[in-house]
Amino acid sequence: MIEICAVDWSNPCHAAGALAMIRAYALEATGGKGLEHEAEARLIPALRERHDYVGVLALAPGQAVGLVNAFEGFSTFMARPLLNVHDVYVAPTRRGQGLAARMLESLEALALARGCGKLTLEVLEHNLPAIASYRKFGFQPYALDPAQGHATFWEKRLPLRADEAAA
């Protein structure tokens, strides 16, 4: 039996499970490099402090087997909050069992309870299993006006502040 629940940082098992899932995801996403030691050390304490964080865990007896991390943003066009899904991870031995959909259903319920108008996410264009899963769940490529084309996701990395680097 796999339990799907909101992340509760006061529960040490949730904190350990979330960290284990993020570690595993980072190893896959970086081709085995994983999280940098400094980032890993800051991660759970930093997430605990974020009021915009929403997480959902999939828990099998004795271990976490899936995690969705999301952060609240705001849609100016809808004048409502939104949840941006930042990470979706299911342990390799548990894939194909519908856990991602169950976690996203739980996240959607949490988003509705917060008054959110939409869920957003980014997905790599060659991650076809994830794209199929997200489409099945109801996600679609973002475009305000389809004639204008689809939006793309960009980033500009910034350095740590001095107080963050010293921690």
Side-chain angles (χ1 to χ4, degrees):
M1 181 71 184
I2 296 177
E3 174 190 6
I4 305 297
C5 59
V7 172
D8 175 1
W9 292 124
S10 69
N11 182 332
C13 293
H14 283 206
L19 183 57
M21 292 293 91
I22 294 168
R23 271 190 199 127
Y25 182 36
L27 281 170
E28 281 188 39
T30 62
K33 181 181 173 195
L35 294 173
E36 292 189 17
H37 179 71
E38 297 81 17
E40 185 173 314
R42 287 191 315 271
L43 183 60
I44 299 303
L47 287 174
R48 280 187 173 126
E49 296 296 318
R50 299 204 58 89
H51 299 291
D52 57 351
Y53 173 81
V54 180
V56 175
L57 273 169
L59 297 169
Q63 68 178 350
V65 294
L67 175 69
V68 172
N69 288 319
F71 297 88
E72 187 175 298
F74 191 80
S75 169
T76 53
F77 286 16
M78 295 177 81
R80 293 173 64 189
L82 61 87
L83 278 185
N84 179 259
V85 179
H86 190 67
D87 304 309
V88 176
Y89 183 75
V90 175
T93 59
R94 300 298 181 136
R95 292 180 185 160
Q97 299 175 17
L99 291 180
R102 288 180 58 203
M103 289 188 294
L104 288 170
E105 286 170 1
S106 180
L107 183 74
E108 183 174 337
L110 293 168
L112 288 168
R114 292 170 84 106
C116 293
K118 65 181 174 178
L119 297 174
T120 62
L121 59 77
E122 299 84 43
V123 61
L124 294 172
E125 64 185 336
H126 298 295
N127 190 346
L128 301 180
I131 290 170
S133 176
Y134 298 147
R135 282 189 189 279
K136 185 176 179 182
F137 192 74
F139 284 96
Q140 58 188 347
Y142 172 74
L144 286 174
D145 176 356
Q148 299 296 322
H150 297 291
T152 60
F153 186 74
W154 291 31
E155 75 172 359
K156 178 181 178 182
R157 295 201 176 218
L158 303 173
L160 289 175
R161 295 185 322 247
D163 62 322
E164 292 175 314

